[in-house]
Amino acid sequence: QVQVVLSGGGSVQAGGSLRLSCAATGYSSACNVEMDYYRVPPGKQREFVSGTISGDSTNIPDSVKGRFTITQDKAKNTLYLQMSSLKPEDTATYYCKTAARCGGQVHAHWSQGTQVTVSS
């Protein structure tokens, strides 16, 4: 059974840092698992934050460039999102999405959300 667990949210003051961890378990060792982070700010639509599914860094929004960094641990099927110099506008519910290529099929799963609140 596939599980995607996102951890590390919380509350922080502006200028602070947080690290999110997205860990996927249950995939066959033959699968290649990539992940993306998304967020849903209050009253707004979901937006892509960063990740490895597309392999295209140009998709990273300007609002997080230079402040958010991803680190991938392929052996553990884990993707970390290091968020620095946080701003109140980073307040959102964050999610992780996997794309597991297993043979000729791609399987997608979502994590539960985790709240990130940045106070001014």
Side-chain angles (χ1 to χ4, degrees):
Q1 181 180 358
V2 174
Q3 285 191 314
V4 184
V5 178
L6 178 59
S7 59
S11 297
V12 65
Q13 289 191 327
S17 299
L18 284 173
R19 189 178 80 155
L20 303 184
S21 297
C22 177
T25 59
Y27 287 115
S28 163
S29 59
C31 299
N32 179 52
V33 182
E34 304 292 347
M35 300 174 180
D36 281 347
Y37 279 96
Y38 288 82
R39 66 185 181 185
V40 182
K44 297 184 179 180
Q45 292 186 331
R46 185 178 65 196
E47 63 178 359
F48 171 78
V49 175
S50 188
T52 64
I53 291 178
S54 71
D56 184 0
S57 63
T58 62
N59 292 332
I60 297 172
D62 290 340
S63 60
V64 306
K65 281 182 179 177
R67 299 188 300 119
F68 289 12
T69 303
I70 55 170
T71 303
Q72 187 179 31
D73 186 336
K74 291 286 284 183
K76 296 181 179 180
N77 281 341
T78 299
L79 188 68
Y80 302 96
L81 178 67
Q82 179 67 45
M83 303 183 291
S84 303
S85 301
L86 283 162
K87 304 175 181 180
E89 50 264 45
D90 294 318
T91 294
T93 303
Y94 285 70
Y95 298 86
C96 174
K97 175 187 173 182
T98 67
R101 185 173 300 277
C102 308
Q105 294 184 330
V106 179
H107 304 278
H109 294 88
W110 286 89
S111 71
Q112 84 290 358
T114 191
Q115 182 66 35
V116 171
T117 301
V118 184
S119 58
S120 57

